């Protein structure tokens, strides 16, 4: 009976295991904390709609921390400066090539800084725009035109750029879209429900793609 109870406990633990996601706290003075409700809301949407079991409590991890390797998916956002030390760059590189995934969502204004710092991480890799027929746009919900536009800033089209290691997408940079703003609580930006739904569905596509590759 004791052995049966142990097996039952192990099965319960396995089937109720929750993945964890994290915001990345970076140096440089940029507002890494810009969208505090974004990931919690995305997690709630995914758990309710695409059968994930992600821990609803989002963690915060620093770029050079060994704790980075605990998370299958980490998220960077902000409006301003980003700086990676040599230790940051080395740790982030090792995390990504060993199976981790980084989503960078430009909250308007961080693009020149993050692209420069990524060269410290992968000097020989480039960000490549993902075509509209990439699997990430159809892993759950179809986005035939690619990345959706959530917030308007400069009249530019939304773009998603990827970085690959041995044919695996290890990094996604979303630009001129503001997905994270769309994931936030409704009263933060007063987005119409259909706009928030587009953002959450695209986020769910990203999560499902990452978890399956």
């Amino acid at each position: 009976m004791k052995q049966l109870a142990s097996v039952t406990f192990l099965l319960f633990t396995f089937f109720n295991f929750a993945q964890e996601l994290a915001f990345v706290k970076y140096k440089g003075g940029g507002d890494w904390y810009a969208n505090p409700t974004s990931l919690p809301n995305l997690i709630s949407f995914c758990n309710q709609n695409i059968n994930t079991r992600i821990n609803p409590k989002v963690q915060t991890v620093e770029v050079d921390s060994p704790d980075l390797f605990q998370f299958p998916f980490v998220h960077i956002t902000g409006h301003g400066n980003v700086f990676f030390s040599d230790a940051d760059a080395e740790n982030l590189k090792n995390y990504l090539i060993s199976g981790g995934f980084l989503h960078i969502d430009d909250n308007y204004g961080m693009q020149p800084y993050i692209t420069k710092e990524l060269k410290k991480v992968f000097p020989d890799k480039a960000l490549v725009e993902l075509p509209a027929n990439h699997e990430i746009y159809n892993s759950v919900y179809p986005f035939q035109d690619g990345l959706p536009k959530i917030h308007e800033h400069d009249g530019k089209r939304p773009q998603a750029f990827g970085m690959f290691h041995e044919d695996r997408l290890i990094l996604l940079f979303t630009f001129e879209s503001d997905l994270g703003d769309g994931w936030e609580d409704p009263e933060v930006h007063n987005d119409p429900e259909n706009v928030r739904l587009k953002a959450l569905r695209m986020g769910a596509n990203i999560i499902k793609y990452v978890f399956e590759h």
Side-chain angles (χ1 to χ4, degrees):
M1 184 65 76
K2 184 176 180 181
Q3 183 178 12
L4 179 60
S6 297
V7 171
T8 302
F9 173 76
L10 288 172
L11 288 172
F12 178 85
T13 301
F14 177 79
F15 286 109
N16 287 273
F17 175 77
Q19 298 276 18
E20 290 190 313
L21 309 186
F23 288 108
V24 175
K25 180 180 179 181
Y26 51 83
K27 304 175 183 70
D31 54 341
W32 61 268
Y33 45 82
N35 290 338
T37 65
S38 60
L39 281 189
N41 286 338
L42 178 60
I43 289 169
S44 177
F45 182 86
C46 289
N47 287 347
Q48 292 173 19
N49 292 278
I50 64 169
N51 299 316
T52 52
R53 292 188 296 273
I54 306 171
N55 190 331
K57 184 178 180 181
V58 180
Q59 304 295 321
T60 297
V61 64
E62 298 193 22
V63 188
D64 64 349
S65 172
D67 293 338
L68 191 66
F69 292 81
Q70 296 178 14
F71 306 102
F73 175 103
V74 295
H75 177 79
I76 284 181
T77 192
H79 297 82
N81 191 38
V82 181
F83 174 77
F84 293 156
S85 67
D86 290 345
D88 292 337
E90 183 69 18
N91 198 53
L92 184 56
K93 175 182 177 179
N94 290 335
Y95 164 76
L96 292 171
I97 66 176
S98 65
F101 188 92
L102 172 62
H103 175 218
I104 305 167
D105 188 49
D106 189 339
N107 206 359
Y108 190 58
M110 75 182 304
Q111 185 267 345
Y113 306 105
I114 192 65
T115 52
K116 174 175 172 286
E117 295 308 292
L118 287 176
K119 281 295 181 184
K120 297 178 181 178
V121 183
F122 292 110
D124 301 324
K125 293 186 186 295
L127 289 166
V128 178
E129 185 170 3
L130 301 183
N133 64 353
H134 191 276
E135 183 185 346
I136 204 165
Y137 297 124
N138 295 280
S139 61
V140 190
Y141 302 102
F143 286 87
Q144 296 180 348
D145 297 325
L147 189 69
K149 187 80 167 180
I150 305 305
H151 279 185
E152 186 61 71
H153 294 298
D154 294 330
K156 298 177 181 177
R157 67 184 179 90
Q159 294 176 275
F161 299 91
M163 195 171 282
F164 295 82
H165 176 70
E166 297 178 349
D167 296 325
R168 182 178 73 87
L169 182 66
I170 59 174
L171 183 152
L172 178 70
F173 174 49
T174 46
F175 176 64
E176 285 290 330
S177 172
D178 261 356
L179 287 177
D181 278 6
W183 301 341
E184 286 244 79
D185 287 348
E187 62 273 15
V188 177
H189 300 288
N190 296 311
D191 289 326
E193 184 57 29
N194 67 312
V195 172
R196 290 191 71 245
L197 187 59
K198 280 196 300 184
L200 289 165
R201 285 178 170 176
M202 186 64 227
N205 275 10
I206 296 169
I207 293 294
K208 186 169 177 63
Y209 179 88
V210 170
F211 281 12
E212 293 182 347
H213 292 78

